[in-house]
Amino acid sequence: MYKIIYVVFYSIFLFVVASLGLYLLFTNQGFRFDVGNVLTNISPYAFATTGIGLAMAFSVVGAAWGIFTTGSSIMGAGVITPRIYSKNLVSIIFCEAVAIYGIIISIVMSNYLKYFDPNLLSDSMMAQNIFAGYALFGAGLTTGLSNLACGICVGIVGSGAAIADAANPNLFVKVTLLNNCINFPWLNATLGQHSKQVQATQVFYVIL
Amino acid sequence: MIKCFLTLFLVSLVSCNEFVPYLTWTNIEGLSCKRPIQFHGMNIQHITNEHYKKCLAPGKPNKLIIFLADQLTVEDFTYFGRNEESFEKTKNFIKSDSSSLTASVKPIQDLKSIQSYLPGADVEVVKLKIDRSTFDSLTTSIQQMDDIVWKKLNNIGGKYVAVLTTDTTYSVLGSPAERHVRIRRQSEADNKTSDILIKGPCVFMKYSAIMLTIDVKRHVMVPDSNSTQVGNCTDGNNTLILSLKSKDDASIKAKVRMDFIMKKFKTSAMDWWFLSSVTVDYNQFNQKNTVVSLKSRTFRDIISAPKNWSLVCGAPPNMTRIFAKIQDGTNLHLEFTGLQVQPFGVVNNTFGRALDCEGWFTIGIWTGLIVTLLLVTILTLGLCMIAQITTMDRFDDPKGKQLSIPQQE
């Protein structure tokens, strides 16, 4: 039943888009399909703030996913061996740290937003401001997606750690060390990527 | 009160078309009759027999005053007089009296015959003229008519019965449909303001208004003398020079020079014309002329259209030159309203196909759509994922051994 609803909506959407396109084509108004005009005229603040929001949002989703995986494993294994509860909390903390990284990055990015008056800037400065908006969007998106992946991975490893700990207490430390190793390269990747893009934006939001 | 005018309004919708308004009221107090029924299409006999003879005559009024307004119709109350102040005093009379009547009747020629139903009353007929030449004069005359009615009735001593109607016949007034068409045409004619049209040799431009804001003061500009044009029409470079002066203060003058260029653009592989520069040469209070070049980013991409097209823009964004510090110069904003311009390729002295500066979706709508799409996508994915979380049933075996939980740490 749901399939029919999807098919109907999709076909209506396709029909509208196709007829709009053909109308523009056949009435000699093809130039009105203007992607460049839209992308240069959308305020850079829109994209920059979307990037900031995505940085935080995706990071939190990744953290939540990881905690979900780890938490259910700890609960399951802890039914038989309740001693694992206290030690395996550190796996949950690793996941939570991913969310904290996302928040920190978005706060840092939001400090780069400054006021500018388009009428006072030259063309090249305005172009750089538009670029800065897209750069912040890219930085936020990258940060968010990489945090998402990291959170999932940390969660899976933490879940393995809980089950290993329940089987044999000596295994916990070794598996947690592995968790650390995941975090470190990821952290480098995220912050490095972010800082490169941030350097690009730093100069260009000017008041004057 | 609303019911009275609602009755009259409904009359105007119905196509029984030979009735005119008939308002009557009195200042006799202590009448024992109920408020008479009022409906459209009443016969005047009904009013005179039922209302005057049986209800008002026992009160022994001294005077019967008949106000005959010129070509009074229902629309005078419902459309022209819909302002709160029009007919205010007449409304007060009708509101205050329980035996007042608002009806619509067939117009009768001999209104003095009503007098026979009110014995003992002196008849006085007052003719009121209404000037219907323009909408403003009509509203003014309606108010004046109201004042005359009020003054007359205030100065009368004793008991009176007043009537407000018209003696013009239906053939002059026309059917309601004809009257409505007349009203519509009249209001359109009164609301139309003149656009300034420049039918130059090369550049054709039309605009409703130009406003020039010097620093913070906004001046409405009107043409000072005829505009001039520079350039032959075919080499891709046309210039229009407008000579303007301020409407309120003739000492503020400005010459606006607009340069249009036609160029082939590689990306769209088409020829486009655009406004490449605007220079304003103004002086105010007879001081030295100041020449300012406006920032091209404020108009270059907006006042632009393909070859042989014209551009229509109801409210183009202001063309500005602003400075960060006050000492660097005076801020200038040039604002057009209702602009249509075609600087190249005008055929037959009329504007070519028009491109609207405001597309179907504005930039704000696009931004909103993109962000909403992103949000809805993420939300949908998230909800779908959450919906498929289940508990593990791998070890569920209804026939197998039950789980034993040892009671130890």
Side-chain angles (χ1 to χ4, degrees):
Chain A
M1 181 182 83
Y2 293 125
K3 192 158 180 168
I4 297 203
I5 298 177
Y6 297 148
V7 164
V8 165
F9 277 131
Y10 188 52
S11 55
I12 290 176
F13 170 72
L14 269 187
F15 175 72
V16 166
V17 168
S19 52
L20 201 63
L22 288 176
Y23 161 72
L24 288 181
L25 181 65
F26 290 134
T27 52
N28 228 355
Q29 297 181 67
F31 60 84
R32 284 181 66 179
F33 180 77
D34 195 353
V35 177
N37 185 41
V38 168
L39 289 181
T40 42
N41 282 331
I42 289 185
S43 165
Y45 290 111
F47 277 107
T49 47
T50 307
I52 293 170
L54 288 179
M56 191 182 315
F58 282 140
S59 314
V60 169
V61 168
W65 203 330
I67 294 176
F68 154 62
T69 312
T70 307
S72 27
S73 293
I74 294 177
M75 288 303 297
V79 168
I80 303 291
T81 43
R83 60 173 169 78
I84 67 167
Y85 283 134
S86 36
K87 247 206 306 195
N88 279 278
L89 270 177
V90 78
S91 307
I92 307 260
I93 302 299
F94 278 144
C95 292
E96 191 62 38
V98 168
I100 301 295
Y101 297 147
I103 292 178
I104 292 173
I105 295 288
S106 52
I107 291 176
V108 165
M109 288 207 295
S110 68
N111 281 333
Y112 291 127
L113 295 179
K114 291 182 175 43
Y115 170 75
F116 70 95
D117 188 347
N119 286 329
L120 292 172
L121 298 178
S122 66
D123 276 351
S124 58
M125 290 301 278
M126 189 64 203
Q128 288 172 344
N129 269 337
I130 295 175
F131 164 72
Y134 287 114
L136 278 175
F137 174 69
L141 188 64
T142 314
T143 307
L145 289 177
S146 57
N147 281 2
L148 176 69
C150 171
I152 298 172
C153 296
V154 169
I156 294 175
V157 170
S159 127
I163 295 174
D165 189 17
N168 182 351
N170 296 328
L171 291 176
F172 177 71
V173 174
K174 290 184 183 137
V175 178
T176 307
L177 205 62
L178 181 63
N179 230 346
N180 262 335
C181 290
I182 295 175
N183 257 333
F184 192 56
W186 157 84
L187 201 63
N188 264 342
T190 300
L191 292 182
Q193 175 77 302
H194 165 75
S195 71
K196 246 198 310 230
Q197 275 159 335
V198 158
Q199 268 168 24
T201 68
Q202 237 166 359
V203 186
F204 306 130
Y205 271 96
V206 287
I207 302 173
L208 193 74
Chain B
M1 198 63 247
I2 294 182
K3 201 163 76 170
C4 303
F5 284 119
L6 188 62
T7 316
L8 286 175
F9 176 67
L10 288 172
V11 165
S12 67
L13 297 179
V14 177
S15 60
C16 291
N17 44 22
E18 57 271 17
F19 303 117
V20 295
Y22 185 96
L23 280 70
T24 178
W25 64 94
T26 174
N27 73 340
I28 303 172
E29 287 164 28
L31 286 171
S32 58
C33 44
K34 332 191 272 266
R35 195 183 186 106
I37 307 164
Q38 7 199 17
F39 57 90
H40 87 90
M42 279 172 98
N43 207 340
I44 200 142
Q45 259 64 40
H46 184 91
I47 300 177
T48 49
N49 275 342
E50 293 296 316
H51 189 51
Y52 285 171
K53 193 155 153 191
K54 294 193 179 148
C55 180
L56 296 185
K60 294 200 188 14
N62 297 336
K63 280 196 89 91
L64 169 65
I65 306 175
I66 303 178
F67 294 99
L68 289 179
D70 187 27
Q71 292 184 7
L72 191 71
T73 59
V74 175
E75 282 78 29
D76 291 330
F77 294 96
T78 56
Y79 179 74
F80 297 117
R82 66 190 187 277
N83 195 3
E84 275 306 307
E85 283 102 45
S86 316
F87 294 116
E88 189 185 351
K89 301 181 173 90
T90 312
K91 274 192 230 172
N92 283 341
F93 280 125
I94 298 216
K95 234 191 298 203
S96 63
D97 185 34
S98 64
S99 64
S100 67
L101 184 66
T102 33
S104 50
V105 300
K106 276 195 170 71
I108 53 171
Q109 296 294 47
D110 184 20
L111 280 158
K112 282 195 179 179
S113 62
I114 300 174
Q115 191 210 3
S116 56
Y117 295 92
L118 295 166
D122 298 325
V123 144
E124 186 181 340
V125 173
V126 178
K127 285 215 185 256
L128 304 165
K129 254 207 138 334
I130 298 186
D131 179 12
R132 290 172 193 275
S133 50
T134 68
F135 186 78
D136 291 324
S137 69
L138 177 58
T139 29
T140 323
S141 336
I142 286 177
Q143 276 172 337
Q144 280 170 356
M145 177 175 88
D146 204 33
D147 283 331
I148 293 175
V149 165
W150 186 74
K151 242 188 288 208
K152 186 102 187 110
L153 293 178
N154 258 2
N155 292 337
I156 283 194
K159 301 184 265 194
Y160 64 81
V161 173
V163 172
L164 174 62
T165 182
T166 179
D167 59 352
T168 324
T169 56
Y170 155 69
S171 55
V172 174
L173 299 169
S175 68
E178 287 168 13
R179 294 203 295 262
H180 289 159
V181 167
R182 254 205 314 256
I183 289 171
R184 233 191 346 265
R185 284 219 193 99
Q186 188 167 50
S187 63
E188 272 170 20
D190 290 332
N191 284 340
K192 205 188 288 271
T193 53
S194 56
D195 291 345
I196 294 153
L197 178 60
I198 297 167
K199 283 188 179 185
C202 309
V203 177
F204 275 58
M205 185 190 296
K206 182 174 75 147
Y207 59 86
S208 302
I210 291 185
M211 259 85 66
L212 182 65
T213 308
I214 303 175
D215 212 1
V216 288
K217 192 148 164 40
R218 194 161 176 244
H219 307 278
V220 176
M221 309 296 276
V222 293
D224 186 17
S225 56
N226 279 346
S227 59
T228 54
Q229 300 200 8
V230 173
N232 67 12
C233 303
T234 48
D235 66 351
N237 251 320
N238 284 345
T239 302
L240 170 70
I241 303 174
L242 300 167
S243 305
L244 307 165
K245 68 172 192 264
S246 168
K247 190 170 166 192
D248 302 316
D249 185 0
S251 71
I252 298 178
K253 291 189 196 301
K255 265 190 170 20
V256 177
R257 184 198 164 101
M258 302 167 83
D259 297 306
F260 296 92
I261 288 182
M262 171 106 86
K263 213 173 83 165
K264 189 170 179 72
F265 284 81
K266 269 193 305 202
T267 317
S268 57
M270 281 165 68
D271 291 311
W272 289 70
W273 62 260
F274 60 98
L275 179 58
S276 65
S277 75
V278 176
T279 314
V280 178
D281 180 354
Y282 71 97
N283 77 334
Q284 45 179 356
F285 319 122
N286 291 323
Q287 284 172 358
K288 195 166 63 103
N289 273 27
T290 320
V291 178
V292 174
S293 207
L294 301 183
K295 202 171 181 62
S296 68
R297 204 169 63 234
T298 52
F299 49 79
R300 188 187 53 207
D301 296 319
I302 300 154
I303 314 290
S304 160
K307 184 177 179 181
N308 297 339
W309 287 55
S310 67
L311 179 91
V312 157
C313 211
N318 291 5
M319 307 177 189
T320 64
R321 178 65 198 271
I322 62 180
F323 298 92
K325 302 197 189 74
I326 296 180
Q327 52 264 35
D328 290 338
T330 318
N331 289 351
L332 208 64
H333 299 253
L334 181 66
E335 189 182 332
F336 283 87
T337 332
L339 176 71
Q340 179 160 18
V341 58
Q342 183 170 3
F344 297 94
V346 178
V347 168
N348 249 353
N349 273 0
T350 51
F351 286 112
R353 188 172 180 187
L355 176 70
D356 205 312
C357 66
E358 199 175 307
W360 189 248
F361 281 172
T362 62
I363 295 290
I365 295 179
W366 281 120
T367 313
L369 280 176
I370 289 175
V371 172
T372 309
L373 192 68
L374 181 69
L375 173 76
V376 165
T377 309
I378 295 176
L379 189 67
T380 315
L381 280 175
L383 286 176
C384 286
M385 282 157 63
I386 290 181
Q388 62 179 13
I389 296 176
T390 53
T391 53
M392 208 164 68
D393 57 1
R394 189 184 156 123
F395 299 111
D396 288 345
D397 186 12
K399 295 195 200 117
K401 196 168 86 120
Q402 289 298 323
L403 187 66
S404 72
I405 298 169
Q407 296 294 327
Q408 60 184 13
E409 215 274 16

